[in-house]
Amino acid sequence: MSLQDELTDVKRRLDDLARTVERLERSLTQSREDTPRAQSARSPEGLVTIPDTPYDSSLWTDSDDEGLGVRDRHAP
């Protein structure tokens, strides 16, 4: 395959990609217009209040440090 043929093929594929993205954008716009809007204000029943007080440290006893492994052990 010559360089010119490869460039022509790349251009064709880029054009196909651009058309596909345009169709996807139109489809998303249409689906957003068809979907009813979510309520602007959430109901108080769905909210959870998190206190500012510190957590009890006993909750974390014997837990692994996420991403670091088990305490008192070295990484392999």
Side-chain angles (χ1 to χ4, degrees):
M1 185 178 252
S2 72
L3 180 60
Q4 185 62 35
D5 291 340
E6 289 180 13
L7 290 174
T8 302
D9 187 47
V10 168
K11 182 171 178 2
R12 181 184 55 79
R13 290 174 188 243
L14 285 173
D15 291 341
D16 289 345
L17 178 60
R19 282 191 297 274
T20 302
V21 169
E22 288 173 5
R23 281 194 304 263
L24 178 60
E25 287 174 340
R26 284 193 303 268
S27 174
L28 288 173
T29 301
Q30 183 64 36
S31 67
R32 285 181 184 151
E33 290 171 355
D34 293 344
T35 304
R37 298 281 180 194
Q39 293 178 350
S40 59
R42 293 184 180 200
S43 64
E45 299 85 29
L47 299 178
V48 176
T49 303
I50 300 175
D52 290 333
T53 57
Y55 288 109
D56 180 7
S57 61
S58 66
L59 292 172
W60 312 117
T61 304
D62 297 328
S63 66
D64 294 345
D65 291 327
E66 186 174 333
L68 300 177
V70 180
R71 294 178 196 200
D72 302 326
R73 291 192 190 166
H74 296 285

